[in-house]
Amino acid sequence: MADTQRILHHIAELYAKPRVNQDLDSAVLEMEEKMSARFEDYDAAFADKLTADVIKAVDDYWRFKSDKTRPTLAQLLAMENADTTKKDRKDTDPESHDGMRMKIFKCADELGNKYGKKVRDTYLKIGRLQYPNVDLSGHEWTAPVTPSADAKAAGGYAEEYMQRDIKLNRCRHLLPVYQQAVRYIAEDLLAQEIPVHEWHNMDFAQRCAAAMRKGLFNRFDDVLVDVCRRWYGKDYQFDCPKPVNVAQAGYLPAHWVDMDKFGLREVC
């Protein structure tokens, strides 16, 4: 069913003519109230119509018939019935059953791709309760493969740099600082170097690889100092290099794990 009030408001916006010393908003409201006296007639006539089709008929009448005198209900219906393009809009109009079905599945699939099957199923369950007349069967969705590449990539890069510094007897940070430095390069710095849509379509491992190709890891030592300064208020965790067992230092804060698991990390 079309949104009759919205249609009447649109007609008033096109055809309202302010009197002397009357502002346009008042004139629109006055015409809308005048047409609302026959609201039930309009509502019954638009019962099997789509809002987009009726509004297009109003616009077509204004454009091709008269931009001074608003159409009668009969003229409006004739204009809408003569529209040969409305069938093409029916399947995509969000107010039609097919359009609403597409909209629900689109949102559900996006949630599933980002947060997983459980969140997608919950959204569809709510959709079935809110729109019981919309058929939500017969749509297939394949869950994306989501290995724990983020944590592995962060740990892999960080451990390599930490092992390097241990061998060179210059390791002055624990592993979490190395991991945060890797994340800063792959997320914050890389986001400044490539288009936003390209960055968003990468997983963390791909971002690390892209940052490496662009040479962003060339200043890793400086980033390491910057990250430590931000976290601890000093350039180094240790005053002098100390031998560190990476396996013992290799814990990952729980809040990182949770944020990565649900894909909620964003670049500020």
Side-chain angles (χ1 to χ4, degrees):
M1 178 181 291
D3 186 343
T4 303
Q5 195 62 55
R6 179 179 164 193
I7 295 169
L8 296 184
H9 181 74
H10 185 67
I11 295 173
E13 286 182 322
L14 289 177
Y15 289 97
K17 296 180 178 61
R19 297 187 300 274
V20 178
N21 298 326
Q22 184 185 31
D23 60 77
L24 179 59
D25 288 342
S26 297
V28 170
L29 180 60
E30 184 177 304
M31 176 171 283
E32 191 174 352
E33 289 178 345
K34 183 177 180 180
M35 288 188 292
S36 292
R38 295 188 57 201
F39 184 86
E40 291 184 0
D41 294 336
Y42 282 102
D43 202 42
F46 300 151
D48 61 344
K49 309 293 184 183
L50 295 177
T51 304
D53 289 341
V54 180
I55 286 181
K56 183 179 184 300
V58 174
D59 292 340
D60 288 346
Y61 189 93
W62 184 89
R63 189 179 297 112
F64 303 118
K65 298 290 186 179
S66 173
D67 60 357
K68 296 179 174 58
T69 304
R70 62 182 172 87
T72 64
L73 179 56
Q75 290 171 325
L76 190 54
L77 292 175
M79 202 78 183
E80 193 273 340
N81 289 331
D83 186 0
T84 59
T85 66
K86 63 183 179 181
K87 184 179 183 300
D88 297 331
R89 292 196 303 278
K90 183 177 181 181
D91 292 339
T92 57
D93 191 297
E95 296 173 24
S96 70
H97 282 188
D98 290 338
M100 182 58 69
R101 182 177 188 272
M102 290 177 61
K103 183 177 180 181
I104 291 173
F105 278 129
K106 180 176 183 295
C107 292
D109 291 350
E110 289 177 351
L111 287 172
N113 292 338
K114 190 170 185 180
Y115 300 117
K117 183 177 184 300
K118 185 176 180 180
V119 174
R120 181 180 183 273
D121 290 345
T122 299
Y123 180 84
L124 287 177
K125 182 178 180 180
I126 295 173
R128 290 187 177 93
L129 293 175
Q130 292 183 333
Y131 302 97
N133 296 326
V134 177
D135 180 14
L136 295 181
S137 62
H139 177 81
E140 295 184 0
W141 171 79
T142 303
V145 178
T146 55
S148 56
D150 285 13
K152 290 181 179 178
Y157 280 81
E159 287 179 6
E160 287 182 8
Y161 277 103
M162 189 174 183
Q163 289 283 13
R164 176 205 65 176
D165 289 347
I166 290 172
K167 291 178 181 179
L168 295 174
N169 194 31
R170 67 182 194 186
C171 179
R172 301 174 68 177
H173 305 279
L174 293 175
L175 184 57
V177 178
Y178 281 85
Q179 290 172 325
Q180 187 62 16
V182 170
R183 289 195 173 281
Y184 179 75
I185 291 172
E187 295 184 344
D188 296 65
L189 295 186
L190 181 64
Q192 300 172 25
E193 298 290 330
I194 63 177
V196 174
H197 72 277
E198 183 178 337
W199 185 93
H200 276 293
N201 288 332
M202 292 179 175
D203 60 28
F204 187 73
Q206 291 171 328
R207 291 171 188 168
C208 286
M212 184 66 73
R213 289 194 299 270
K214 287 187 170 292
L216 299 182
F217 279 94
N218 293 345
R219 56 180 299 261
F220 184 82
D221 294 338
D222 295 332
V223 173
L224 199 61
V225 171
D226 292 341
V227 168
C228 187
R229 185 182 301 147
R230 184 182 303 178
W231 276 20
Y232 298 100
K234 55 185 179 180
D235 292 351
Y236 304 99
Q237 287 182 289
F238 308 132
D239 293 334
C240 61
K242 294 183 179 181
V244 180
N245 186 316
V246 176
Q248 293 177 350
Y251 62 89
L252 188 64
H255 68 279
W256 286 4
V257 176
D258 290 341
M259 292 174 75
D260 291 336
K261 178 180 179 183
F262 293 105
L264 299 178
R265 286 182 57 81
E266 295 181 359
V267 176
C268 298

